Amino acid sequence: MDGRFSEGLSEPIVISTSTAAIQSVLSYLYRGVIDIDLKDVCDILHLAHMHELSSLEQQVAEGVSSCWDTGTALKILLQCDALGIDALEEKCELHIASHFEEAALCTEFHSLSPAQLNRLLKNLGLVVRCEENALLALLAWQQTRPGRESNLAVLMQQLHFPCMALQSLDTLEQHAQTIGNPGTDLQREVRRAKRFHEATGGDISCPIVKRPCFTHWWSGLGSTTAGGVPIQL
């Protein structure tokens, strides 16, 4: 555009979002309906948040939570701090916690903040085949970004080490000696868990704090659902 108008002197405005997301928002504004493709959810939520379309945010949040997959839930959770949609954040956390082992295999899992991972690990809806798998996910998360060693000691407080098998605890005690400063805290947790196993003397009725996904605990074996196996590092 030329001439003396200010529009002719300005650069084109680039909106860094997908065309499909823009079309979805325009459809909502002009027709009152919106078709949501899971791959565009984050872009749609950003546009709705940017333009203060709270009703659209709510509609998208309600619609996507009924049909999303674990990867989408992770992508949305990573944006929730900026979007400030608390109800959606809680739904994301519950879905990811209930599909924790699947989530831990996704690339987005390693981008979670320490606070986000902390909430997942203490979520009562967290489901794993054995407690060892929760620790393996935590260690993998820690190793993908520099500087996360300082978070490890705090996050380990959300794990239930006595629910791990003695064989796993022995392996962890050896592994802890090879990972520097974080190993000191890991060794402490492992020693406490081993003392608990030894103190029970095979008494399976001994009270223990375990995740709701575990129905039983056995001295020496810990807690596991079908398919749980001792840890291997």
Side-chain angles (χ1 to χ4, degrees):
M1 198 171 185
D2 53 15
R4 298 182 179 181
F5 297 103
S6 59
E7 290 86 347
L9 302 176
S10 60
E11 294 293 327
I13 298 175
V14 178
I15 301 177
S16 57
T17 191
S18 68
T19 301
I22 295 174
Q23 291 174 338
S24 294
V25 173
L26 290 175
S27 174
Y28 175 79
L29 290 174
Y30 289 101
R31 298 169 51 222
V33 296
I34 182 170
D35 295 322
I36 303 173
D37 192 318
L38 287 178
K39 65 179 173 46
D40 299 315
V41 167
C42 289
D43 284 342
I44 294 172
L45 286 171
H46 272 295
L47 286 172
H49 183 71
M50 182 189 306
H51 298 287
E52 300 181 349
L53 301 172
S54 57
S55 60
L56 176 57
E57 283 185 346
Q58 182 178 354
Q59 187 170 329
V60 172
E62 292 175 353
V64 73
S65 61
S66 64
C67 62
W68 60 18
D69 54 37
T70 304
T72 301
L74 277 165
K75 291 175 182 177
I76 296 174
L77 180 60
L78 290 171
Q79 306 298 325
C80 277
D81 281 345
L83 297 174
I85 311 176
D86 294 340
L88 181 59
E89 182 176 53
E90 292 174 8
K91 289 180 179 179
C92 286
E93 289 174 354
L94 182 58
H95 179 92
I96 295 166
S98 62
H99 299 80
F100 189 79
E101 292 181 8
E102 179 187 352
L105 298 176
C106 297
T107 304
E108 293 83 4
F109 183 87
H110 299 137
S111 297
L112 292 171
S113 69
Q116 288 170 329
L117 183 53
N118 184 71
R119 290 195 297 270
L120 288 174
L121 289 172
K122 70 178 183 180
N123 194 302
L124 293 177
L126 189 142
V127 176
V128 285
R129 287 176 296 169
C130 55
E131 191 68 17
E132 287 89 331
N133 287 350
L135 174 61
L136 287 174
L138 172 57
L139 292 176
W141 173 88
Q142 177 256 318
Q143 292 166 3
T144 55
R145 298 285 191 281
R148 284 180 168 175
E149 294 83 359
S150 59
N151 303 122
L152 197 58
V154 175
L155 292 173
M156 282 194 299
Q157 302 307 308
Q158 304 301 342
L159 298 177
H160 302 246
F161 283 87
C163 287
M164 299 182 191
L166 269 176
Q167 181 180 341
S168 297
L169 294 171
D170 288 338
T171 302
L172 283 173
E173 192 167 24
Q174 297 174 11
H175 176 69
Q177 300 171 16
T178 68
I179 59 175
N181 290 334
T184 303
D185 296 297
L186 180 56
Q187 282 183 302
R188 183 184 300 110
E189 297 296 336
V190 167
R191 289 196 298 267
R192 289 178 178 176
K194 291 177 71 172
R195 287 197 297 270
F196 183 88
H197 277 273
E198 294 164 359
T200 62
D203 181 8
I204 63 174
S205 65
C206 185
I208 180 174
V209 177
K210 58 184 183 295
R211 300 188 187 278
C213 65
F214 299 135
T215 56
H216 297 90
W217 177 87
W218 298 269
S219 178
L221 297 176
S223 294
T224 181
T225 61
V229 294
I231 199 170
Q232 296 181 354
L233 293 170

